[in-house]
Amino acid sequence: MSVRGWIGWTAATLVVALAVHFASMWYLPRLVMSRALAQMGAVNTIHHGKRADASAHGVVRPSPDLLYSVCPFDLSRAALRVTAPVPRGTYWSVSMFDDATNNFFVLNDAHANGAVDFIVVPADWEKPMPYRLVRSPSVRGLVVFRTLINDERNLAAIDAARRKAKCAPL
Amino acid sequence: MSLFLKSLATLILGTVLGLAMTWAVVFRGDMPGGIADGAWHTNLAVGSAGGDMRTRAAVALHGLLALNRSETIYYTAMTDDSGARLDGGCAYRIAGRDPDTRWWSITAYGADDYLIANPANRYSISKNSVMRDADGGFDAEVSAASRASNWIPVARAPFSLTLRLYNPAPRVAADPVHAVLPKIEKVSCG
């Protein structure tokens, strides 16, 4: 092959490499989220995880001081209603993540006024609803509830309180 | 070589090279956009939808489901204050006062980013569990050897620490690089 030929094929290889590099970096968060959602169980229902210990190999770097409840959602057929009384006397938050791992919503106990009741809808949702709407940038995603175990002696009560959270298709 | 074979070789080589680049910058490289406060590192892009493609990929891998920094700031230490890699073959002293936040915890993780198995089933110290000195400060130990209180057990292997600040004070959230955080000092090895 001529020198010009080698330069041409080398340049073509580099173009392919850059395209694959950027495409794989774009895809990676989506792959990570897709795998995380798949292992969390059925969509549009809540799953109350047990307290994280050394056997917890789901999401990386879990906190052993928090109780996590998750609701993987799929808004392709219906909106999702999320309701929860806010456990008293400890840190509590509800947050939402899109299918590329971005945190697009968070509300904690200090700002929830005792309870939450809202509807998660796709970003292009137009139908008026008599509820507080939260628009998700993606059809699939995740709602995460965090409840702090601020006193080991109250673990049973804190666990019971966080289990009152619910999510279901509307 | 035929044109077909040359094209195939270009595609295969380019794909391998592109994936290797991604592996090098996302899996092996440091997280972009990071800032340091002593040995404690954090990334302002964690929990937000901002940041470039590389940052987003790194956050997805290392900080999945992390919250934004007005809600929680996550600092990670891979080294002690002298810059030496944290390793369970050594014992470390974590000393300081409560950070300016509603609640905090310091948790140890193995090289696989999961909690480290130990007979005591202890993984962290926190605002609620730490024992304080008379002056309000605390002095904790991270080591493989057992200690009665203020102890975060680790295995005799490299580990890292995560400091979580839940609902940090507004000035901490606005300027996380100058937050007053606990020191991490090596005590002894072997």
Side-chain angles (χ1 to χ4, degrees):
Chain A
M1 202 186 321
S2 69
V3 173
R4 187 177 289 179
W6 274 110
I7 291 172
W9 285 109
T10 304
T13 304
L14 287 177
V15 168
V16 171
L18 283 173
V20 169
H21 173 54
F22 285 113
S24 59
M25 285 212 298
W26 177 87
Y27 182 61
L28 199 59
R30 289 155 179 85
L31 176 68
V32 167
M33 196 61 173
S34 162
R35 291 184 61 171
L37 289 173
Q39 71 177 24
M40 284 174 183
V43 296
N44 301 338
T45 187
I46 196 158
H47 305 270
H48 301 288
K50 72 180 184 87
R51 186 178 192 175
D53 58 19
S55 69
H57 280 200
V59 174
V60 293
R61 302 182 88 84
S63 171
D65 301 296
L66 295 167
L67 293 172
Y68 297 90
S69 299
V70 296
C71 175
F73 64 77
D74 181 344
L75 309 174
S76 58
R77 291 190 176 178
L80 183 78
R81 185 173 185 186
V82 177
T83 56
V86 176
R88 303 178 99 180
T90 192
Y91 170 85
W92 174 93
S93 68
V94 54
S95 52
M96 297 184 204
F97 298 82
D98 69 13
D99 65 357
T101 77
N102 297 310
N103 175 206
F104 66 87
F105 178 88
V106 62
L107 182 72
N108 67 40
D109 59 296
H111 300 99
N113 219 5
V116 294
D117 185 354
F118 45 66
I119 309 296
V120 188
V121 295
D124 58 357
W125 184 271
E126 289 176 354
K127 193 174 157 190
M129 304 280 276
Y131 296 99
R132 176 177 178 180
L133 296 187
V134 178
R135 292 181 187 275
S136 168
S138 59
V139 168
R140 288 172 61 81
L142 185 67
V143 182
V144 179
F145 296 91
R146 288 169 160 91
T147 311
L148 174 66
I149 306 162
N150 62 352
D151 186 339
E152 294 292 335
R153 294 167 300 181
N154 292 342
L155 176 58
I158 293 169
D159 192 17
R162 63 110 179 199
R163 287 174 185 272
K164 291 178 180 166
K166 291 189 167 47
C167 56
L170 190 67
Chain B
M1 205 177 348
S2 72
L3 185 63
F4 172 76
L5 284 177
K6 281 179 189 167
S7 302
L8 189 66
T10 295
L11 277 175
I12 292 172
L13 257 175
T15 301
V16 170
L17 197 60
L19 291 175
M21 285 159 70
T22 298
W23 182 79
V25 300
V26 178
F27 289 82
R28 298 283 301 170
D30 291 333
M31 253 179 59
I35 57 170
D37 182 352
W40 297 106
H41 291 248
T42 190
N43 191 299
L44 304 183
V46 167
S48 75
D52 59 20
M53 208 182 268
R54 179 185 161 198
T55 305
R56 299 292 336 142
V59 167
L61 277 180
H62 304 297
L64 181 62
L65 307 187
L67 298 172
N68 64 51
R69 74 177 144 128
S70 62
E71 190 64 26
T72 309
I73 302 179
Y74 304 84
Y75 293 93
T76 299
M78 308 291 286
T79 70
D80 62 19
D81 287 343
S82 75
R85 183 80 175 82
L86 293 173
D87 191 296
C90 301
Y92 300 87
R93 176 174 174 259
I94 300 183
R97 308 184 74 82
D98 287 69
D100 193 1
T101 185
R102 180 176 169 194
W103 185 81
W104 61 268
S105 68
I106 298 174
T107 310
Y109 296 94
D112 59 0
D113 284 331
Y114 295 114
L115 296 168
I116 301 166
N118 68 87
N121 284 327
R122 287 194 200 184
Y123 308 100
S124 66
I125 56 168
S126 72
K127 181 177 178 178
N128 303 99
S129 67
V130 76
M131 306 289 279
R132 293 177 185 78
D133 306 329
D135 68 353
F138 64 84
D139 197 334
E141 185 172 297
V142 185
S143 65
S146 157
R147 194 177 139 162
S149 64
N150 281 7
W151 172 50
I152 307 176
V154 290
R156 293 185 180 277
F159 69 91
S160 62
L161 297 170
T162 288
L163 167 60
R164 291 175 166 84
L165 306 185
Y166 273 81
N167 296 159
R171 63 189 176 90
V172 174
D175 187 16
V177 76
H178 292 115
V180 180
L181 304 177
K183 296 184 184 313
I184 308 173
E185 295 164 348
K186 190 184 290 177
V187 178
S188 61
C189 296

